[in-house]
Amino acid sequence: MGKKKDAKRKEADISLTGDEAGELQMILDRLSVQNPEGESLENYFESLLAALGGREHMIAALIDHLSKNPSEVGFRAFRSLRESVREKQYRRVVKQAAYRFSQKGYAADDGEMQLEKVVLIRKEIRKPLGHLILAEGTFWLISALLPSEEQTGPVAVSAFAEDGFQNLFVRVSETSNRAYREYIQQIADHEAMELAEVPVGHVARLFFEMLDFYGKEDANPNIEQAKKLLGPLYEPDKPPCVYGLMPELEEPGKRIHEVKVVELLERIDLPQLLFSEEELRPYRQKIQDMESPILVVPPEVQKERIMDEMRKAADELCDGRRKYLFQRFFEECALVWKLNGSDDAAMSAWIIAQHIKTVAKPGDNPLIFQVVIASMRSWWPDDFKTEGREDEDVRRTESGLILP
């Protein structure tokens, strides 16, 4: 009899790697400081579920730990996560956790039979799926698999923007769970794309933000269908998912020096952020006038004047709407990279986004400043020259002034 009990205990054991154990402890620490009445708690649970998606052993291990030290936040996390545990070996952990919570006065309000029914129904209906993709040639690419009352099967909604939101493409089509997963797998295997599973509510947020950035009236029936499908899922008062995963930065300006701006620029699809030739032409003309001054000006003074003109271009061109667009772009980069385990890149993007959000002058943000330079270089490459050794990335203006 004793051997049978030992066998059952071993069956319920959950093995974690050292990294997974560390990740689990970070989640437990984060949950321990959450306010059970906080407005962002449910949003954090959604982000947590997305971060743990496909790793039932991690979800089961988290549930097990939470039930051994019951709390209001822990119980609410348990209720948010338990339906994602479907494998038989881990459902026992869920059942034990429900019992432990009930012993401490946290009633689960349903028993094992009801839990089993929920699992079986979910297998038939299939849960909605949402994905965010960072892809070359687009600002965002979003995709979702959703149930439809008008169709016999689920429908796929996808959307992406090009050319600084001058063009918006939306498609709604009937599909199958298998076909959608194959589509997502193709994207995941593509080297030029970075994909992350996100809550469908977040896909809805991104879709309606895309419509706002697009800013045009369009009679496209696909857009209207997407509005109808995603509208009920959109909660504009909830913050983006990344705010539930990344730490709050009280003074982003003190962290800006940590960002390796060049590496960050190389990782993103820079053309989506560039300023237009028409926007930059007046500033370029002023810089050319500075390079041919009537009075002799010391080189260091001339260089500083050019830098000031670059910062002025950033301040004036990166206005309220464009500034918010930059902020949201790097917030979503931080989300995808965080969910994919690229913590350093995620933190760099997060610092940039929070700095853009709080800084009064966009020209003080080193990344926006570099985007202005990159934009000018893209439109007027002859204004920039490389001198010295081949391995030195030194850009100079026609007059030879070095630009960062």
Side-chain angles (χ1 to χ4, degrees), residues 236-377:
D237 294 332
K238 292 179 68 172
C241 281
V242 68
Y243 283 84
L245 292 178
M246 301 300 290
E248 181 179 355
L249 303 181
E250 294 183 358
E251 296 184 73
K254 292 185 177 180
R255 303 284 299 274
I256 201 72
H257 67 278
E258 300 176 20
V259 179
K260 297 179 180 178
V261 176
V262 174
E263 292 182 10
L264 192 57
L265 287 170
E266 289 175 347
R267 183 156 186 167
I268 64 174
D269 188 29
L270 185 58
Q272 299 304 312
L273 300 179
L274 297 182
F275 298 97
S276 71
E277 180 180 6
E278 182 180 357
E279 289 175 314
L280 289 170
R281 188 176 289 112
Y283 302 96
R284 188 234 184 180
Q285 183 59 54
K286 289 181 181 179
I287 290 174
Q288 287 184 319
D289 293 343
M290 291 177 188
E291 291 179 342
S292 303
I294 297 176
L295 300 176
V296 177
V297 179
E300 61 273 13
V301 175
Q302 192 178 35
K303 177 186 174 182
E304 185 57 35
R305 288 180 178 177
I306 291 176
M307 296 299 98
D308 287 342
E309 193 61 30
M310 294 283 196
R311 279 187 282 269
K312 181 182 178 182
D315 291 340
E316 295 180 351
L317 296 178
C318 200
D319 57 6
R321 178 181 178 277
R322 183 78 68 88
K323 182 181 177 183
Y324 183 65
L325 188 65
F326 271 75
Q327 174 193 326
R328 292 292 296 118
F329 178 80
F330 285 101
E331 285 177 348
E332 295 308 308
C333 286
L335 175 64
V336 172
W337 295 338
K338 180 65 176 180
L339 292 176
N340 288 339
S342 299
D343 290 351
D344 290 345
M347 180 55 73
S348 289
W350 180 241
I351 292 172
I352 288 294
Q354 293 303 292
H355 188 259
I356 292 172
K357 182 179 180 180
T358 58
V359 70
K361 294 185 176 181
D364 292 336
N365 184 280
L367 188 134
I368 295 179
F369 183 79
Q370 287 294 337
V371 171
V372 170
I373 295 175
S375 300
M376 286 192 170
R377 186 182 301 124

Side-chain angles (χ1 to χ4, degrees), residues 43-58:
N43 189 48
Y44 173 67
F45 290 153
E46 289 184 7
S47 302
L48 181 60
L49 188 57
L52 297 177
R55 295 188 290 166
E56 290 194 24
H57 67 295
M58 279 288 289

